[in-house]
Amino acid sequence: MAAAAVRLSLRRGKLCGRPGALAFSSRADAAPGGGPKLTRAWQAEGIRNVVLSNPRRRNALSLAMLKSLREDLLRDSDSPELRVIIISGEGPVFSSGHDLKELSHEAGEKHHLEVFETCAELMTLLSKLPVPVIAKVNGLATAAGCQLVASCDIAVASEESTFATPGVNVGLFCSTPAVPVGRSLPRKVALEMLFTGEPITAQEALLHGLVSRVVPAEKLEDETLRIARKICKSSRSVLALGKAAFYKQMAQDVEAAYRTTTKVMVDNLALQDGREGIEAFLCKRKPTWSP
């Protein structure tokens, strides 16, 4: 990313309550490849907020939006100052999914392939990031927008939020959204959403496992931050190891999963923070995690 495209405002602050840690806020003026920046991002106290910021287009996941979101997620993702990421949407719609104008016949197969490949790369990136990613949903999340929610590690939704995979209604089955949606919801619930395009409520999404928590809209910000700050209190290296192991074993059969996680438990104990945590517990004191 060109230096002129992004202005960084650095200040001294606290990272998860640690005096003297470096926090930053960022605002980019241009998206990759030119055009207006479609996301906003800032970071403070270890928490990076990334906001889908194109409410006039219902925060559609256009190719430019996908690239902008990917850039904001990857920026300094290995920095010890980053502990958790929150993704939200500006306006009454979290995201309406792909921009259908980009999927017209005139756009061509090559462009279509780039859109879906970029989207798939972004969705799989979420589970590969070394820090937890939380979706903060206040409104409608449809098609690839629902896919984005399902791909995050945690999702907190307002009571007014709804979720749908309505592609079938415009002749485009939500096959790529079905990947994380089908892995988050029971098969029959996912297929009813995919076959009918009908939305489910936030409470139904909670019941079936698409979201982690549902709260009144006025409490959404506080509840999401509460979870993020709780994550910030844990060891970054331990969380990174545990997150990677979780997703790896989920793709394995039970016996292979136990072999994988047995090795990970041993590796965890060998980490500096693994040793510190056990020692602190035995000594009845609070642990001091590595930076």
Side-chain angles (χ1 to χ4, degrees):
M1 179 175 52
V6 175
R7 293 196 295 271
L8 294 180
S9 173
L10 296 176
R11 60 180 175 81
R12 301 303 295 183
K14 292 184 178 181
L15 173 62
C16 302
R18 298 180 186 181
L22 186 65
F24 79 88
S25 62
S26 69
R27 182 174 68 81
D29 296 315
K37 180 74 171 175
L38 299 177
T39 58
R40 294 182 289 114
W42 66 91
Q43 185 172 317
E45 298 183 347
I47 302 170
R48 178 175 301 173
N49 280 274
V50 182
V51 181
L52 309 180
S53 188
N54 191 14
R56 289 186 178 182
R57 298 290 299 162
R58 295 161 61 89
N59 294 323
L61 294 179
S62 62
L63 184 58
M65 174 73 89
L66 290 167
K67 290 180 177 180
S68 183
L69 179 56
R70 179 180 62 188
E71 179 185 340
D72 285 337
L73 293 173
L74 283 173
R75 185 187 298 119
D76 297 326
S77 60
D78 289 326
S79 169
E81 294 162 9
L82 175 63
R83 312 304 287 274
V84 62
I85 297 171
I86 299 172
I87 300 176
S88 61
E90 182 180 341
V93 176
F94 175 78
S95 175
S96 59
H98 289 296
D99 186 341
L100 293 184
K101 289 184 177 180
E102 292 189 337
L103 304 182
S104 66
H105 178 72
E106 290 72 18
E109 185 175 322
K110 183 177 180 181
H111 182 75
H112 297 164
L113 185 61
E114 183 182 7
V115 169
F116 292 121
E117 286 183 341
T118 302
C119 184
E121 178 189 343
L122 172 69
M123 300 300 171
T124 55
L125 169 65
L126 295 169
S127 63
K128 296 174 183 177
L129 288 168
V131 298
V133 181
I134 304 172
K136 183 178 72 174
V137 186
N138 188 21
L140 182 65
T142 66
C146 187
Q147 179 182 3
L148 179 57
V149 175
S151 299
C152 289
D153 303 313
I154 297 170
V156 185
S158 67
E159 293 173 336
E160 294 81 4
S161 298
T162 55
F163 305 84
T165 51
V168 68
N169 296 329
V170 295
L172 182 64
F173 197 85
C174 285
S175 296
T176 46
V179 175
V181 170
R183 285 163 169 76
S184 299
L185 297 171
R187 177 167 56 92
K188 289 180 173 60
V189 176
L191 285 173
E192 182 177 342
M193 290 180 66
L194 291 161
F195 290 158
T196 67
E198 292 182 349
I200 62 172
T201 66
Q203 288 296 340
E204 289 172 323
L206 177 64
L207 174 66
H208 298 304
L210 182 61
V211 302
S212 320
R213 196 172 294 270
V214 174
V215 296
E218 63 271 17
K219 295 183 179 179
L220 180 61
E221 177 74 11
D222 288 344
E223 182 62 16
T224 306
L225 284 176
R226 184 193 66 80
I227 295 170
R229 287 166 179 155
K230 178 66 175 177
I231 290 170
C232 282
K233 293 179 180 179
S234 297
S235 161
R236 187 186 196 276
S237 61
V238 169
L239 283 175
L241 180 69
K243 176 176 174 176
F246 176 83
Y247 284 108
K248 182 177 181 179
Q249 63 86 23
M250 285 294 289
Q252 299 175 328
D253 61 52
V254 173
E255 290 186 359
Y258 271 117
R259 287 195 295 271
T260 294
T261 52
T262 295
K263 177 63 166 59
V264 170
M265 294 289 282
V266 174
D267 292 342
N268 194 156
L269 288 170
L271 289 177
Q272 177 182 336
D273 283 354
R275 299 193 302 271
E276 165 62 15
I278 298 296
E279 181 180 336
F281 177 82
L282 295 176
C283 294
K284 299 181 179 180
R285 61 172 174 81
K286 290 184 178 182
T288 302
W289 305 125
S290 58

